Amino acid sequence: DFGVLLAALEAYDARATKDARLPRLVVVVTGKGPLKQAFMDAVARRGFFKIAAATAWLPAADYANLLGCADLGVCLHASMSGLDLPM
């Protein structure tokens, strides 16, 4: 649910803006789902100070590399079969 993620990002940005020890975040949204653009629009409207967001569609090998570089991964995907992507 992108709403839960947006709420978490709002809370983090509010706290990180007041605490210089907290790092900036980069959020990379992957996939081709119909909610991707709505999420990116919602992020842009909020004008976060310590959070940047980008979208990407990657080949499988590059996707694995992106996950390997991440400190945290959040999967909002659920397939039609009800099985999540292996991460």
Side-chain angles (χ1 to χ4, degrees):
D1 178 343
F2 279 122
V4 173
L5 178 57
L6 279 169
L9 293 175
E10 287 175 335
Y12 182 86
D13 194 65
R15 184 164 179 192
T17 300
K18 297 174 186 170
D19 187 343
R21 297 172 298 169
L22 293 175
R24 299 177 73 73
L25 296 183
V26 176
V27 176
V28 180
V29 178
T30 63
K32 295 181 181 179
L35 299 177
K36 178 174 68 172
Q37 190 57 52
F39 173 77
M40 294 303 292
D41 292 345
V43 168
R45 282 192 304 275
R46 282 162 175 79
F48 292 130
F49 293 100
K50 299 218 35 184
I51 298 171
T55 61
W57 177 252
L58 304 169
D62 291 339
Y63 187 75
N65 289 333
L66 175 66
L67 288 176
C69 294
D71 292 319
L72 173 69
V74 177
C75 179
L76 299 176
H77 169 83
S79 67
M80 295 300 287
S81 67
L83 301 173
D84 289 331
L85 294 171
M87 292 198 184

